[in-house]
Amino acid sequence: MSDRRAAELVAAHEQERPARQLSGKLRLGVWIVGGLLSVYSLVVVFRPVESLQHRMTFLAVALPLVFLCYRSGFRLGRRPAAEEGPPGAVGGAVAEAAGKPLAADTAGAPQAAGAGPEPRTAATAGRAPEPAAARRADRPTVADWALAALALAVCVYPLLDFQAFRDRGSGAALTDLDIAAGVLLTVLLLEAVRRTVGWSLVVICAVFLVYAYFGGYLPIDWTIGHRGFDLEQIVSQLYTGTEGFFGVPLQVAASYIILFTIYGAVLDLSGASKFFIDLSFAAFRRSRSAPGRTVTTAGFLLGTVSGSGVATTVSLGSVAWPVLRRAGYPKESAGGILAAGGIGAILSPPTLGAAAFIIAEYLKVGYLQVLLYATIPTILYYLGIFLAIEIDSRRFHTHAVQVDAPKVGRLLLRFGYHFSSLILIIVLMAMDRSAFQSVVIATAVAFLLSFLDPEHRMTPGRVGEALARGTLEVLPVTAVCAAAGIIVGVITQTGLGLNLSAIIVGVAQGNLLLTTLMAAIAVMVLGLAVPVTASFIIAAVIIGPALTTLGVTQAEAYMFIFYYAVLSEVSPPTALSAVAAAAITGGNTYKTMMMTWRYTLPAFLVPFAFVLTPNGQALLFQGPLVTVAVMALVSCVAVAALALATGGFTGWPERALAAVAAVLLLFLDTTPIVAGLAVLALAAAVHLIRRRRTSA
């Protein structure tokens, strides 16, 4: 698959919109500004700035870049986008500004003989040659420059006399200029969100703003009614403190996320992506289930350098689909494996997704604690995929494929150092280093170790590219996080969160199971319309209180919401990762979605276990170690039963019994566990009897 095709697939199926293909001096300028913001973010880790000032400064640079780097979508007097050249990421385009190519993330990956895709070259990652006229047509318009200038002005304005501005927000009356700047920033953020992720979140934010202003006109006996707030009060809530635009979500983008995107860029540019794919192919190259396991393992490893399920799916597909095809996998099954491996990239430690950082901030715990929460669910997720792949390899009679890959030992000896920075992050956080300092130190180590590979050493051009990508890749998240502050601010100001949670609990009549089912459906539906980060934030402040009211701990509630927010990317009817995988394999889209759902089924059911069951907290690594170990083992058996129930390799009686056994085991209590093991043993006995009769 060509690089242009890969970029088009990501642009078509990713929730984030494609960025402009900037060129010339403008590209260089954006590259420099983005790099400087990354440097500022790195310096702040060791020389902290007052929190609100830091968030305002970060947004003052990031928001103008959004208007320069992302198209408005309006083509007044301009040619259609199809004539302007293919969509692509600014991060992939700014390399030319420095005179240096991007590091290939899959270049040289092992391929099945005669069946591999076009190798992705560093210089062409995410872009294709364009005519000069097309490049000129993709330059920012006068309106874009004006919006960028306004964004800079309204974000810098509070910093000109910061203490006086804070005092006015803490109780004194706002000036007319304060109100005008706050209203203008609201409009600019909504436009930035529209450009980067589309209309859905804009509409949701607008509904909350209307509710804040006109909610006082609702009947007094309505649960969601409130006393009403005027324009000055709303602006004060959103603009002058840390309850609105400059709240926790933006803090996460300005501290955690940008540091991890810089780290991911350094790993990518130093050759780690190529090593991870090489290692995956080398580790599983002999057995008939090796191609499927290779894709899944590569997806897990690539998750350290990609925060997008769709992007990881496409990166995997460009290399792995020819191998899966030669192994005998049907198009839909191969697409399901690709999508499941891609989405696993943002469900897995040590980087997880942006929402995981927000969990750490909301719970006031270290990021290492969130990694512990995710450890057992991640193991169960990948166990389910591997077992399903083993079953499918027999059902589809797949076979081993000879791939051109170095031996595992040689790869580890030569390039195994790429794992060291990942391990170092965990070690440093275990030694009570902050997540910020840990990732910066790990980034420095990855930089130094790059000089062990002359082909991928971090030259000045690559360093500049990594810094630029660190900022440019976080721009859509920044817009979403700042705009999500509107929702959080309105909910806090009006008390809507508690009111809605009371409604949810009332509809469910206090039943935890029904409340949890409603929560799962609501989060998945919300995730179909808005990005994972936004859907988590909205659900956390609205649905989270409903769960905690019924006795669920905050950690369990937030992790439940996190998993279902992420799983919206593989949930019908949209299932973005599955649709992208189907586009690569040419398989039926609906069948690919259903195969993806089957591979990811444990991730849908396990969250119910740690919310509903008496020992469910053990799956989040909470409680005595013996209990944690036993419940993890029982859950592994339940996942195995699920794989048997959905695999289609055995007859329907065994599958029905295995499904019952899985449900009983996931109750994680003594009596259901014993009953589940008995039913599973019965399923095995039935299978053996039927098999002997068939053989006879």
Side-chain angles (χ1 to χ4, degrees), residues 116-149:
E118 296 181 29
R120 291 185 65 186
T121 60
T124 60
R127 60 188 304 269
E130 300 175 82
R135 288 197 299 269
R136 286 196 299 271
D138 209 18
R139 296 176 68 85
T141 64
V142 173
D144 294 327
W145 283 104
L147 291 174

PDB file of all heavy atoms in Angstrom, residues 116-149:
ATOM      1  N   GLY A 116       4.777  -7.992  -0.272  1.00  0.00           N
ATOM      2  CA  GLY A 116       4.803  -6.865   0.650  1.00  0.00           C
ATOM      3  C   GLY A 116       4.270  -5.603   0.039  1.00  0.00           C
ATOM      4  O   GLY A 116       4.185  -5.446  -1.161  1.00  0.00           O
ATOM      5  N   PRO A 117       3.919  -4.667   0.888  1.00  0.00           N
ATOM      6  CA  PRO A 117       3.474  -3.371   0.419  1.00  0.00           C
ATOM      7  C   PRO A 117       4.667  -2.543   0.011  1.00  0.00           C
ATOM      8  O   PRO A 117       5.809  -2.904   0.245  1.00  0.00           O
ATOM      9  CB  PRO A 117       2.806  -2.779   1.669  1.00  0.00           C
ATOM     10  CG  PRO A 117       3.583  -3.377   2.781  1.00  0.00           C
ATOM     11  CD  PRO A 117       3.944  -4.768   2.329  1.00  0.00           C
ATOM     12  N   GLU A 118       4.383  -1.408  -0.586  1.00  0.00           N
ATOM     13  CA  GLU A 118       5.479  -0.498  -0.862  1.00  0.00           C
ATOM     14  C   GLU A 118       6.109  -0.086   0.459  1.00  0.00           C
ATOM     15  O   GLU A 118       5.414   0.284   1.384  1.00  0.00           O
ATOM     16  CB  GLU A 118       4.946   0.774  -1.548  1.00  0.00           C
ATOM     17  CG  GLU A 118       4.324   0.535  -2.903  1.00  0.00           C
ATOM     18  CD  GLU A 118       3.846   1.843  -3.494  1.00  0.00           C
ATOM     19  OE1 GLU A 118       4.439   2.881  -3.172  1.00  0.00           O
ATOM     20  OE2 GLU A 118       2.883   1.828  -4.256  1.00  0.00           O
ATOM     21  N   PRO A 119       7.437  -0.133   0.578  1.00  0.00           N
ATOM     22  CA  PRO A 119       8.036   0.300   1.830  1.00  0.00           C
ATOM     23  C   PRO A 119       7.835   1.788   2.020  1.00  0.00           C
ATOM     24  O   PRO A 119       7.958   2.558   1.081  1.00  0.00           O
ATOM     25  CB  PRO A 119       9.527  -0.043   1.647  1.00  0.00           C
ATOM     26  CG  PRO A 119       9.729  -0.091   0.179  1.00  0.00           C
ATOM     27  CD  PRO A 119       8.435  -0.570  -0.408  1.00  0.00           C
ATOM     28  N   ARG A 120       7.513   2.171   3.245  1.00  0.00           N
ATOM     29  CA  ARG A 120       7.320   3.589   3.534  1.00  0.00           C
ATOM     30  C   ARG A 120       8.662   4.250   3.671  1.00  0.00           C
ATOM     31  O   ARG A 120       9.439   3.922   4.541  1.00  0.00           O
ATOM     32  CB  ARG A 120       6.520   3.780   4.824  1.00  0.00           C
ATOM     33  CG  ARG A 120       5.082   3.365   4.703  1.00  0.00           C
ATOM     34  CD  ARG A 120       4.349   3.705   5.968  1.00  0.00           C
ATOM     35  NE  ARG A 120       4.301   5.149   6.156  1.00  0.00           N
ATOM     36  CZ  ARG A 120       3.810   5.733   7.244  1.00  0.00           C
ATOM     37  NH1 ARG A 120       3.360   4.998   8.210  1.00  0.00           N
ATOM     38  NH2 ARG A 120       3.794   7.043   7.345  1.00  0.00           N
ATOM     39  N   THR A 121       8.945   5.178   2.826  1.00  0.00           N
ATOM     40  CA  THR A 121      10.206   5.898   2.924  1.00  0.00           C
ATOM     41  C   THR A 121      10.046   7.052   3.876  1.00  0.00           C
ATOM     42  O   THR A 121       8.967   7.613   4.031  1.00  0.00           O
ATOM     43  CB  THR A 121      10.636   6.426   1.548  1.00  0.00           C
ATOM     44  OG1 THR A 121       9.626   7.313   1.073  1.00  0.00           O
ATOM     45  CG2 THR A 121      10.810   5.269   0.562  1.00  0.00           C
ATOM     46  N   ALA A 122      11.152   7.442   4.495  1.00  0.00           N
ATOM     47  CA  ALA A 122      11.081   8.501   5.489  1.00  0.00           C
ATOM     48  C   ALA A 122      10.609   9.797   4.888  1.00  0.00           C
ATOM     49  O   ALA A 122       9.830  10.527   5.471  1.00  0.00           O
ATOM     50  CB  ALA A 122      12.464   8.681   6.121  1.00  0.00           C
ATOM     51  N   ALA A 123      11.077  10.104   3.712  1.00  0.00           N
ATOM     52  CA  ALA A 123      10.774  11.410   3.139  1.00  0.00           C
ATOM     53  C   ALA A 123       9.339  11.548   2.688  1.00  0.00           C
ATOM     54  O   ALA A 123       8.832  12.648   2.539  1.00  0.00           O
ATOM     55  CB  ALA A 123      11.704  11.690   1.957  1.00  0.00           C
ATOM     56  N   THR A 124       8.652  10.429   2.472  1.00  0.00           N
ATOM     57  CA  THR A 124       7.300  10.516   1.929  1.00  0.00           C
ATOM     58  C   THR A 124       6.239  10.119   2.920  1.00  0.00           C
ATOM     59  O   THR A 124       5.083   9.978   2.554  1.00  0.00           O
ATOM     60  CB  THR A 124       7.171   9.611   0.686  1.00  0.00           C
ATOM     61  OG1 THR A 124       7.445   8.271   1.085  1.00  0.00           O
ATOM     62  CG2 THR A 124       8.112  10.028  -0.414  1.00  0.00           C
ATOM     63  N   ALA A 125       6.597   9.913   4.192  1.00  0.00           N
ATOM     64  CA  ALA A 125       5.606   9.464   5.169  1.00  0.00           C
ATOM     65  C   ALA A 125       4.455  10.443   5.252  1.00  0.00           C
ATOM     66  O   ALA A 125       4.623  11.589   5.603  1.00  0.00           O
ATOM     67  CB  ALA A 125       6.259   9.319   6.537  1.00  0.00           C
ATOM     68  N   GLY A 126       3.263   9.959   4.922  1.00  0.00           N
ATOM     69  CA  GLY A 126       2.056  10.761   5.080  1.00  0.00           C
ATOM     70  C   GLY A 126       1.840  11.814   4.033  1.00  0.00           C
ATOM     71  O   GLY A 126       0.954  12.641   4.157  1.00  0.00           O
ATOM     72  N   ARG A 127       2.624  11.829   2.928  1.00  0.00           N
ATOM     73  CA  ARG A 127       2.426  12.875   1.933  1.00  0.00           C
ATOM     74  C   ARG A 127       2.879  12.381   0.576  1.00  0.00           C
ATOM     75  O   ARG A 127       3.535  11.370   0.439  1.00  0.00           O
ATOM     76  CB  ARG A 127       3.159  14.150   2.337  1.00  0.00           C
ATOM     77  CG  ARG A 127       4.658  14.013   2.487  1.00  0.00           C
ATOM     78  CD  ARG A 127       5.270  15.273   3.079  1.00  0.00           C
ATOM     79  NE  ARG A 127       4.953  16.430   2.300  1.00  0.00           N
ATOM     80  CZ  ARG A 127       5.729  16.860   1.302  1.00  0.00           C
ATOM     81  NH1 ARG A 127       6.807  16.210   0.956  1.00  0.00           N
ATOM     82  NH2 ARG A 127       5.393  17.949   0.625  1.00  0.00           N
ATOM     83  N   ALA A 128       2.521  13.080  -0.461  1.00  0.00           N
ATOM     84  CA  ALA A 128       2.893  12.724  -1.814  1.00  0.00           C
ATOM     85  C   ALA A 128       3.246  13.996  -2.566  1.00  0.00           C
ATOM     86  O   ALA A 128       2.860  15.091  -2.184  1.00  0.00           O
ATOM     87  CB  ALA A 128       1.731  11.999  -2.495  1.00  0.00           C
ATOM     88  N   PRO A 129       4.010  13.884  -3.669  1.00  0.00           N
ATOM     89  CA  PRO A 129       4.375  15.076  -4.428  1.00  0.00           C
ATOM     90  C   PRO A 129       3.136  15.825  -4.901  1.00  0.00           C
ATOM     91  O   PRO A 129       2.159  15.234  -5.336  1.00  0.00           O
ATOM     92  CB  PRO A 129       5.168  14.496  -5.602  1.00  0.00           C
ATOM     93  CG  PRO A 129       5.657  13.181  -5.120  1.00  0.00           C
ATOM     94  CD  PRO A 129       4.605  12.661  -4.204  1.00  0.00           C
ATOM     95  N   GLU A 130       3.196  17.140  -4.845  1.00  0.00           N
ATOM     96  CA  GLU A 130       2.064  17.955  -5.251  1.00  0.00           C
ATOM     97  C   GLU A 130       2.538  19.044  -6.195  1.00  0.00           C
ATOM     98  O   GLU A 130       3.653  19.545  -6.079  1.00  0.00           O
ATOM     99  CB  GLU A 130       1.420  18.630  -4.038  1.00  0.00           C
ATOM    100  CG  GLU A 130       0.910  17.687  -2.999  1.00  0.00           C
ATOM    101  CD  GLU A 130       0.415  18.474  -1.812  1.00  0.00           C
ATOM    102  OE1 GLU A 130      -0.725  18.956  -1.862  1.00  0.00           O
ATOM    103  OE2 GLU A 130       1.169  18.624  -0.860  1.00  0.00           O
ATOM    104  N   PRO A 131       1.685  19.464  -7.106  1.00  0.00           N
ATOM    105  CA  PRO A 131       2.019  20.596  -7.959  1.00  0.00           C
ATOM    106  C   PRO A 131       2.152  21.862  -7.125  1.00  0.00           C
ATOM    107  O   PRO A 131       1.552  21.995  -6.064  1.00  0.00           O
ATOM    108  CB  PRO A 131       0.808  20.680  -8.903  1.00  0.00           C
ATOM    109  CG  PRO A 131       0.109  19.365  -8.781  1.00  0.00           C
ATOM    110  CD  PRO A 131       0.404  18.861  -7.413  1.00  0.00           C
ATOM    111  N   ALA A 132       2.933  22.808  -7.625  1.00  0.00           N
ATOM    112  CA  ALA A 132       3.146  24.061  -6.888  1.00  0.00           C
ATOM    113  C   ALA A 132       1.837  24.795  -6.666  1.00  0.00           C
ATOM    114  O   ALA A 132       1.602  25.370  -5.607  1.00  0.00           O
ATOM    115  CB  ALA A 132       4.129  24.945  -7.654  1.00  0.00           C
ATOM    116  N   ALA A 133       0.937  24.763  -7.668  1.00  0.00           N
ATOM    117  CA  ALA A 133      -0.348  25.460  -7.517  1.00  0.00           C
ATOM    118  C   ALA A 133      -1.164  24.867  -6.392  1.00  0.00           C
ATOM    119  O   ALA A 133      -1.824  25.572  -5.627  1.00  0.00           O
ATOM    120  CB  ALA A 133      -1.127  25.389  -8.827  1.00  0.00           C
ATOM    121  N   ALA A 134      -1.120  23.525  -6.243  1.00  0.00           N
ATOM    122  CA  ALA A 134      -1.877  22.876  -5.172  1.00  0.00           C
ATOM    123  C   ALA A 134      -1.321  23.255  -3.820  1.00  0.00           C
ATOM    124  O   ALA A 134      -2.069  23.458  -2.865  1.00  0.00           O
ATOM    125  CB  ALA A 134      -1.845  21.371  -5.359  1.00  0.00           C
ATOM    126  N   ARG A 135       0.013  23.349  -3.716  1.00  0.00           N
ATOM    127  CA  ARG A 135       0.605  23.733  -2.434  1.00  0.00           C
ATOM    128  C   ARG A 135       0.207  25.152  -2.065  1.00  0.00           C
ATOM    129  O   ARG A 135      -0.063  25.453  -0.915  1.00  0.00           O
ATOM    130  CB  ARG A 135       2.124  23.579  -2.496  1.00  0.00           C
ATOM    131  CG  ARG A 135       2.604  22.145  -2.512  1.00  0.00           C
ATOM    132  CD  ARG A 135       4.077  22.060  -2.158  1.00  0.00           C
ATOM    133  NE  ARG A 135       4.914  22.786  -3.105  1.00  0.00           N
ATOM    134  CZ  ARG A 135       5.453  22.238  -4.190  1.00  0.00           C
ATOM    135  NH1 ARG A 135       5.221  20.966  -4.475  1.00  0.00           N
ATOM    136  NH2 ARG A 135       6.203  22.948  -5.001  1.00  0.00           N
ATOM    137  N   ARG A 136       0.200  26.051  -3.067  1.00  0.00           N
ATOM    138  CA  ARG A 136      -0.200  27.427  -2.781  1.00  0.00           C
ATOM    139  C   ARG A 136      -1.653  27.485  -2.326  1.00  0.00           C
ATOM    140  O   ARG A 136      -2.014  28.258  -1.462  1.00  0.00           O
ATOM    141  CB  ARG A 136      -0.009  28.295  -4.029  1.00  0.00           C
ATOM    142  CG  ARG A 136       1.448  28.632  -4.334  1.00  0.00           C
ATOM    143  CD  ARG A 136       1.525  29.780  -5.323  1.00  0.00           C
ATOM    144  NE  ARG A 136       0.897  29.451  -6.601  1.00  0.00           N
ATOM    145  CZ  ARG A 136       1.525  28.873  -7.618  1.00  0.00           C
ATOM    146  NH1 ARG A 136       2.811  28.539  -7.508  1.00  0.00           N
ATOM    147  NH2 ARG A 136       0.886  28.604  -8.740  1.00  0.00           N
ATOM    148  N   ALA A 137      -2.505  26.641  -2.927  1.00  0.00           N
ATOM    149  CA  ALA A 137      -3.922  26.657  -2.580  1.00  0.00           C
ATOM    150  C   ALA A 137      -4.170  26.210  -1.152  1.00  0.00           C
ATOM    151  O   ALA A 137      -5.211  26.507  -0.583  1.00  0.00           O
ATOM    152  CB  ALA A 137      -4.699  25.770  -3.543  1.00  0.00           C
ATOM    153  N   ASP A 138      -3.210  25.489  -0.544  1.00  0.00           N
ATOM    154  CA  ASP A 138      -3.406  24.968   0.796  1.00  0.00           C
ATOM    155  C   ASP A 138      -2.810  25.876   1.860  1.00  0.00           C
ATOM    156  O   ASP A 138      -2.719  25.493   3.011  1.00  0.00           O
ATOM    157  CB  ASP A 138      -2.790  23.570   0.892  1.00  0.00           C
ATOM    158  CG  ASP A 138      -3.509  22.704   1.923  1.00  0.00           C
ATOM    159  OD1 ASP A 138      -4.646  23.049   2.280  1.00  0.00           O
ATOM    160  OD2 ASP A 138      -2.926  21.719   2.372  1.00  0.00           O
ATOM    161  N   ARG A 139      -2.404  27.060   1.476  1.00  0.00           N
ATOM    162  CA  ARG A 139      -1.853  27.991   2.451  1.00  0.00           C
ATOM    163  C   ARG A 139      -2.981  28.647   3.235  1.00  0.00           C
ATOM    164  O   ARG A 139      -4.108  28.764   2.751  1.00  0.00           O
ATOM    165  CB  ARG A 139      -1.010  29.060   1.747  1.00  0.00           C
ATOM    166  CG  ARG A 139       0.218  28.516   1.050  1.00  0.00           C
ATOM    167  CD  ARG A 139       0.950  29.609   0.300  1.00  0.00           C
ATOM    168  NE  ARG A 139       1.545  30.574   1.199  1.00  0.00           N
ATOM    169  CZ  ARG A 139       2.743  30.433   1.779  1.00  0.00           C
ATOM    170  NH1 ARG A 139       3.452  29.351   1.540  1.00  0.00           N
ATOM    171  NH2 ARG A 139       3.225  31.354   2.573  1.00  0.00           N
ATOM    172  N   PRO A 140      -2.707  29.069   4.474  1.00  0.00           N
ATOM    173  CA  PRO A 140      -3.736  29.760   5.262  1.00  0.00           C
ATOM    174  C   PRO A 140      -4.240  31.012   4.551  1.00  0.00           C
ATOM    175  O   PRO A 140      -3.468  31.712   3.877  1.00  0.00           O
ATOM    176  CB  PRO A 140      -2.999  30.114   6.558  1.00  0.00           C
ATOM    177  CG  PRO A 140      -1.865  29.157   6.630  1.00  0.00           C
ATOM    178  CD  PRO A 140      -1.452  28.893   5.221  1.00  0.00           C
ATOM    179  N   THR A 141      -5.503  31.306   4.718  1.00  0.00           N
ATOM    180  CA  THR A 141      -6.108  32.492   4.119  1.00  0.00           C
ATOM    181  C   THR A 141      -5.931  33.688   5.055  1.00  0.00           C
ATOM    182  O   THR A 141      -5.448  33.557   6.198  1.00  0.00           O
ATOM    183  CB  THR A 141      -7.602  32.261   3.870  1.00  0.00           C
ATOM    184  OG1 THR A 141      -8.248  32.065   5.144  1.00  0.00           O
ATOM    185  CG2 THR A 141      -7.822  31.018   3.010  1.00  0.00           C
ATOM    186  N   VAL A 142      -6.354  34.840   4.589  1.00  0.00           N
ATOM    187  CA  VAL A 142      -6.313  36.043   5.429  1.00  0.00           C
ATOM    188  C   VAL A 142      -7.165  35.832   6.679  1.00  0.00           C
ATOM    189  O   VAL A 142      -6.789  36.241   7.789  1.00  0.00           O
ATOM    190  CB  VAL A 142      -6.809  37.264   4.623  1.00  0.00           C
ATOM    191  CG1 VAL A 142      -6.934  38.489   5.534  1.00  0.00           C
ATOM    192  CG2 VAL A 142      -5.870  37.569   3.465  1.00  0.00           C
ATOM    193  N   ALA A 143      -8.312  35.166   6.501  1.00  0.00           N
ATOM    194  CA  ALA A 143      -9.183  34.898   7.653  1.00  0.00           C
ATOM    195  C   ALA A 143      -8.487  33.993   8.667  1.00  0.00           C
ATOM    196  O   ALA A 143      -8.626  34.185   9.890  1.00  0.00           O
ATOM    197  CB  ALA A 143     -10.485  34.251   7.173  1.00  0.00           C
ATOM    198  N   ASP A 144      -7.731  33.013   8.186  1.00  0.00           N
ATOM    199  CA  ASP A 144      -7.001  32.133   9.102  1.00  0.00           C
ATOM    200  C   ASP A 144      -5.975  32.917   9.907  1.00  0.00           C
ATOM    201  O   ASP A 144      -5.826  32.712  11.117  1.00  0.00           O
ATOM    202  CB  ASP A 144      -6.294  31.022   8.320  1.00  0.00           C
ATOM    203  CG  ASP A 144      -7.273  30.074   7.648  1.00  0.00           C
ATOM    204  OD1 ASP A 144      -8.346  29.844   8.219  1.00  0.00           O
ATOM    205  OD2 ASP A 144      -6.959  29.576   6.552  1.00  0.00           O
ATOM    206  N   TRP A 145      -5.256  33.799   9.235  1.00  0.00           N
ATOM    207  CA  TRP A 145      -4.263  34.628   9.937  1.00  0.00           C
ATOM    208  C   TRP A 145      -4.946  35.536  10.957  1.00  0.00           C
ATOM    209  O   TRP A 145      -4.428  35.739  12.066  1.00  0.00           O
ATOM    210  CB  TRP A 145      -3.458  35.454   8.943  1.00  0.00           C
ATOM    211  CG  TRP A 145      -2.407  34.673   8.221  1.00  0.00           C
ATOM    212  CD1 TRP A 145      -2.445  34.219   6.942  1.00  0.00           C
ATOM    213  CD2 TRP A 145      -1.153  34.234   8.763  1.00  0.00           C
ATOM    214  NE1 TRP A 145      -1.289  33.530   6.648  1.00  0.00           N
ATOM    215  CE2 TRP A 145      -0.473  33.524   7.736  1.00  0.00           C
ATOM    216  CE3 TRP A 145      -0.535  34.376   9.997  1.00  0.00           C
ATOM    217  CZ2 TRP A 145       0.786  32.958   7.928  1.00  0.00           C
ATOM    218  CZ3 TRP A 145       0.721  33.824  10.194  1.00  0.00           C
ATOM    219  CH2 TRP A 145       1.368  33.120   9.162  1.00  0.00           C
ATOM    220  N   ALA A 146      -6.102  36.075  10.591  1.00  0.00           N
ATOM    221  CA  ALA A 146      -6.824  36.952  11.519  1.00  0.00           C
ATOM    222  C   ALA A 146      -7.285  36.180  12.752  1.00  0.00           C
ATOM    223  O   ALA A 146      -7.159  36.663  13.895  1.00  0.00           O
ATOM    224  CB  ALA A 146      -8.023  37.578  10.805  1.00  0.00           C
ATOM    225  N   LEU A 147      -7.790  34.959  12.546  1.00  0.00           N
ATOM    226  CA  LEU A 147      -8.218  34.142  13.678  1.00  0.00           C
ATOM    227  C   LEU A 147      -7.032  33.765  14.557  1.00  0.00           C
ATOM    228  O   LEU A 147      -7.142  33.742  15.793  1.00  0.00           O
ATOM    229  CB  LEU A 147      -8.923  32.878  13.173  1.00  0.00           C
ATOM    230  CG  LEU A 147     -10.291  33.088  12.511  1.00  0.00           C
ATOM    231  CD1 LEU A 147     -10.810  31.778  11.927  1.00  0.00           C
ATOM    232  CD2 LEU A 147     -11.294  33.659  13.497  1.00  0.00           C
ATOM    233  N   ALA A 148      -5.894  33.457  13.932  1.00  0.00           N
ATOM    234  CA  ALA A 148      -4.698  33.130  14.706  1.00  0.00           C
ATOM    235  C   ALA A 148      -4.259  34.316  15.557  1.00  0.00           C
ATOM    236  O   ALA A 148      -3.883  34.154  16.732  1.00  0.00           O
ATOM    237  CB  ALA A 148      -3.569  32.692  13.773  1.00  0.00           C
ATOM    238  N   ALA A 149      -4.316  35.531  14.969  1.00  0.00           N
ATOM    239  CA  ALA A 149      -3.926  36.732  15.712  1.00  0.00           C
ATOM    240  C   ALA A 149      -4.890  36.986  16.871  1.00  0.00           C
ATOM    241  O   ALA A 149      -4.470  37.335  17.990  1.00  0.00           O
ATOM    242  CB  ALA A 149      -3.890  37.934  14.770  1.00  0.00           C
TER     243      ALA A 149
END
